Amino acid sequence: MPSRRDLANAIRALSMDAVQKARSGHPGAPMGMADIAEVLWNDFLKHNPADPAWPDRDRFVLSNGHGSMLLYSLLHLSGYELSLEDLRQFRQLHSKTPGHPEHGYTPGVETTTGPLGQGLANAVGMALAEKVLAAQFNRPGHAVVDHYTYVFLGDGCMMEGISHEVCSLAGTWGLGKLVAFYDDNGISIDGHVEGWLTDDTPARFEAYGWHVIRGVDGHDAASVRRATEEARAERDRPTLVCCKTVIGYGSPNLAGSHDCHGSPLGEDEVAATRENIGWPHPPFVIPEEIYAGWSARVRGAAAEDEWRERFAAYRAAFPELAAELERRLAGDLPAQWEEKAGAFVDAVAAKAESIATRKASQNALEGYGPLLPELLGGSADLAGSNLTLWKGSKGVRRDDAAGNYVYYGVREFGMSAIMNGVALHGGFIPYGGTFLVFMDYARNAVRMAALMKQRCVFVYTHDSIGLGEDGPTHQPVEQVAALRLTPNLSVWRPADAVETAVAWKAAIERRGGPTSLVLSRQNLAHQPRTPAQTAAVARGGYVLLEPAGAPEAILIATGSEVALAVDAARRLNDRGRRVRVVSMPSTDVFDAQDAAYRESVLPAAVSARVAVEALVTDGWYRYVGMAGRVVGMRSFGESGPAGALFKHFGLTTENVVQAVEDVLAA
């Protein structure tokens, strides 16, 4: 029977061989954390390789994602659909083993990790989701939501600021089923970390309210096992297990140095390591007794079967709750969603309110919230400004997690990455708000949501210079352009309450990625629409105002500038011009429409075009052409009342009228 060290050495061998074959990668972390991983995966982790999506599985997150061969080795050895050939294709195009773990590519990979610290943040989100879902659905004698979240992380994750944001929250929330294993090897890419990381990390986590287990020998299985048992016994606080390890453990000449962090060991050192660890097998050869020692298929199937028996008992006792939990875990919307959501949009249109779109967003939550218990909202300490609270909001607390609203504090990045973890866990549609300008703090988490195709709703208010007196530090001009340039991110900047209701509906219905809602501080005029026009809002761009006769010019606008475009068009039409107004609340949704529809809205024959938006202008030239004009921002803003700012920067009816006249005269 192989020893625990033999089982761990299989990880070391596969990792160094795959990195060597690819001629790139990070062998040090997998080799250093192999012993910790062996104990966790063989003695504690509840999972079923035959069913990677089993809802009550434990979640495992490799936050230091550069050590991806650790995870790929674990998945292969324990019985997931990840073959030796897949390992041989490490870092190759279209392989199931990309350079960093990517959700959706590899069965068993819970989240995409690479940007350090975000895997840890995702794990906090997963643990939060587990706690809230358990509080909402479990009943005495029926714990159908009951699993742990385990995360591996290294010094790099600890250095990233996001670790402070999310770990502070994890302690505040009392996420007792979150267990983090800190790979304390003292090495980062540039060398020994004492030149740039000297804080007392365990004390930091104790200050966060974590249970901290210090001084664990990460190469001693018994020590790791004792620490893990202690961590699992602590149910009121998350646990940090501080494991002292040697990076590249087993390499006779490179272990303990940064030389094995991000480079192959080299053929000679690989051979020397094989001899040093007593691994006589050729590259990518795993003896059957090693596979037998690792396989989790039998115990995984037994664990899932036991849970399904418990769930059957739960369904018998609470049939409605069971059906609701299954619906939410599947990501399906309620049966009457389409009918009731459509009725809400019609009601908003009939009410014809001229209000700020941030207020319209809150009204949308009032309309949709009662239909969607899966909504888990929040704000980065701006609930009263973002208007993310609605009448049915109940705060999630340490001692009462059965709520639907999270107070994140001033943590835009942490909030967004936690939302990603919540979405990945399943059972919720998370939304979170902040000012649009502070999207920059969260930019990479928003990008990761798009990369992972997660259903998150990012609510961004105070969307332009229109917020006024807070000045250019708070006035976004370039942020929406960055959002629109992000692949697989849907962006809506609605013009009024009707477009806001439609935007929220679209965000909720979108299963293949995140949505950003860009909303105004100031009141915006209601735009009258026919029922057909109201229906067309969902297509991202539509004709809002049509002149008498065929149009000779087109005005395109979004958000607060739609009313400006309408005023300008009416003035021009009164002069005998024929100007169409197109409201385009979502460029990406419009771009996804068929060619015939896009041509009907923006006919190629009408080349005289002007776009109006109180944001940077460059992106609009794809719609107006190089001969067109864009009325917008070409600088940062200024502090002053919104009206004065719009006049100062040329966002006036007069200027828009002149721009149209100019393109018609050209």
Side-chain angles (χ1 to χ4, degrees):
M1 175 179 285
S3 67
R4 306 204 77 142
R5 178 58 53 82
D6 292 332
L7 297 176
N9 283 342
I11 296 173
R12 295 185 170 100
L14 288 172
S15 297
M16 68 180 182
D17 287 342
V19 171
Q20 191 63 38
K21 185 176 184 302
R23 300 188 182 278
S24 72
H26 299 258
M31 296 172 73
M33 299 192 79
D35 298 300
I36 308 168
E38 189 277 323
V39 172
L40 177 63
W41 278 60
N42 281 329
D43 290 8
F44 297 101
L45 192 71
K46 182 177 68 173
H47 65 123
N48 184 5
D51 187 5
W54 165 35
D56 203 45
R57 68 193 182 280
D58 291 339
R59 272 58 169 182
F60 176 81
V61 175
L62 182 71
S63 189
N64 47 339
H66 54 267
S68 56
M69 270 308 304
L70 172 68
L71 181 52
Y72 299 148
S73 298
L74 289 165
L75 293 170
H76 170 73
L77 291 167
S78 62
Y80 286 78
E81 292 297 324
L82 193 69
S83 68
L84 276 174
E85 182 57 30
D86 291 323
L87 301 191
R88 290 191 184 95
Q89 294 302 308
F90 177 58
R91 288 181 160 239
Q92 304 309 300
L93 184 63
H94 303 315
S95 76
K96 294 167 71 173
T97 50
H100 291 80
E102 294 188 37
H103 178 71
Y105 274 65
T106 316
V109 172
E110 300 284 1
T111 181
T112 300
T113 55
L116 291 177
Q118 284 198 67
L120 174 59
N122 297 161
V124 171
M126 294 173 187
L128 173 67
E130 192 274 346
K131 182 169 182 172
V132 176
L133 203 66
Q136 292 180 354
F137 283 95
N138 287 352
R139 294 295 183 269
H142 297 275
V144 291
V145 180
D146 185 14
H147 51 267
Y148 285 84
T149 301
Y150 299 102
V151 56
F152 280 11
L153 63 145
D155 291 305
C157 294
M158 291 297 193
M159 285 184 266
E160 289 285 1
I162 194 172
S163 73
H164 297 260
E165 295 185 25
V166 302
C167 291
S168 174
L169 279 171
T172 298
W173 294 334
L175 301 181
K177 290 157 79 175
L178 172 65
V179 181
F181 293 85
Y182 170 31
D183 181 33
D184 183 11
N185 60 31
I187 297 291
S188 63
I189 289 179
D190 280 353
H192 293 269
V193 300
E194 57 262 25
W196 46 89
L197 179 63
T198 59
D199 65 27
D200 187 340
T201 299
R204 172 172 39 125
F205 276 75
E206 287 169 344
Y208 294 151
W210 284 53
H211 173 221
V212 176
I213 304 173
R214 301 172 182 246
V216 177
D217 182 348
H219 301 298
D220 179 64
S223 180
V224 175
R225 180 178 172 83
R226 285 193 301 270
T228 307
E229 288 173 338
E230 181 182 337
R232 286 167 55 90
E234 172 59 62
R235 301 300 287 264
D236 296 326
R237 297 174 293 169
T239 296
L240 181 71
V241 183
C242 301
C243 299
K244 280 290 184 182
T245 64
V246 177
I247 191 171
Y249 185 91
S251 171
N253 299 302
L254 299 179
S257 79
H258 68 283
D259 294 325
C260 66
H261 187 294
S263 303
L265 300 184
E267 296 288 356
D268 291 344
E269 189 66 12
V270 167
T273 303
R274 271 184 157 73
E275 183 176 355
N276 191 48
I277 65 176
W279 188 262
H281 317 290
F284 301 104
V285 173
I286 304 295
E288 286 302 318
E289 62 268 23
I290 297 293
Y291 278 127
W294 270 107
S295 179
R297 284 191 165 250
V298 173
R299 66 176 182 271
E304 183 172 351
D305 288 345
E306 188 273 337
W307 175 79
R308 293 197 179 279
E309 289 177 7
R310 287 191 285 115
F311 195 87
Y314 177 73
R315 183 186 288 110
F318 307 99
E320 292 182 359
L321 275 176
E324 180 69 359
L325 178 56
E326 289 179 312
R327 178 190 71 77
R328 286 174 54 173
L329 290 171
D332 297 331
L333 295 176
Q336 294 183 306
W337 163 257
E338 186 62 38
E339 176 188 349
K340 291 184 177 180
F344 175 75
V345 173
D346 292 340
V348 173
K351 197 170 185 179
E353 287 186 295
S354 294
I355 55 177
T357 50
R358 62 171 175 163
K359 178 59 179 177
S361 172
Q362 186 179 50
N363 291 347
L365 288 169
E366 297 286 358
Y368 299 141
L371 310 176
L372 297 169
E374 56 264 52
L375 285 179
L376 185 64
S379 174
D381 205 51
L382 288 168
S385 294
N386 301 148
L387 302 186
T388 45
L389 285 165
W390 59 286
K391 291 177 183 175
S393 295
K394 177 187 175 184
V396 173
R397 303 200 313 267
R398 182 189 189 102
D399 58 349
D400 182 7
N404 62 0
Y405 193 88
V406 181
Y407 293 90
Y408 288 100
V410 188
R411 299 179 178 94
E412 298 86 358
F413 192 7
M415 173 183 73
S416 303
I418 287 171
M419 287 168 57
N420 290 345
V422 169
L424 286 159
H425 178 278
F428 297 97
I429 300 174
Y431 71 89
T434 187
F435 290 170
L436 174 59
V437 75
F438 300 137
M439 179 279 297
D440 287 333
Y441 280 134
R443 174 83 176 95
N444 200 255
V446 177
R447 181 179 189 269
M448 296 301 290
L451 183 63
M452 293 190 285
K453 303 179 176 66
Q454 293 306 298
R455 187 197 274 175
C456 298
V457 184
F458 299 105
V459 179
Y460 297 128
T461 69
H462 298 59
D463 70 339
S464 72
I465 61 171
L467 70 89
E469 291 85 349
D470 280 335
T473 63
H474 283 56
Q475 293 168 1
V477 294
E478 76 275 25
Q479 283 72 20
V480 170
L483 292 170
R484 287 174 177 151
L485 286 170
T486 303
N488 198 43
L489 175 65
S490 191
V491 183
W492 287 80
R493 188 171 184 248
D496 63 3
V498 176
E499 290 191 358
T500 305
V502 174
W504 258 109
K505 182 173 180 289
I508 289 164
E509 293 173 352
R510 188 171 190 244
R511 300 190 62 162
T515 300
S516 295
L517 305 179
V518 180
L519 309 169
S520 75
R521 178 193 188 191
Q522 72 274 29
N523 290 342
L524 305 184
H526 168 75
Q527 299 298 323
R529 298 175 183 82
T530 66
Q533 286 175 311
T534 299
V537 175
R539 305 190 76 165
Y542 63 101
V543 178
L544 178 63
L545 181 70
E546 193 75 306
E552 59 181 335
I554 299 174
L555 272 167
I556 310 168
T558 77
S560 52
E561 290 70 67
V562 168
L564 179 60
V566 168
D567 287 344
R570 286 174 173 159
R571 187 172 299 186
L572 286 158
N573 292 337
D574 288 344
R575 296 179 184 175
R577 293 294 195 182
R578 301 186 308 277
V579 181
R580 169 183 288 183
V581 176
V582 170
S583 178
M584 195 175 290
S586 178
T587 58
D588 60 278
V589 173
F590 178 76
D591 290 346
Q593 303 303 308
D594 61 82
Y597 179 78
R598 287 184 278 116
E599 171 66 16
S600 73
V601 176
L602 297 176
V606 185
S607 60
R609 300 179 183 184
V610 175
V612 189
E613 190 174 56
L615 304 169
V616 294
T617 59
D618 287 11
W620 286 106
Y621 287 98
R622 66 183 295 192
Y623 300 101
V624 303
M626 295 306 294
R629 292 279 301 276
V630 184
V631 179
M633 297 294 297
R634 291 175 173 82
S635 69
F636 295 112
E638 296 282 351
S639 179
L645 292 172
F646 273 73
K647 184 177 181 179
H648 175 74
F649 288 106
L651 288 149
T652 63
T653 299
E654 293 75 16
N655 201 30
V656 174
V657 167
Q658 188 60 55
V660 175
E661 294 283 14
D662 289 345
V663 296
L664 284 170

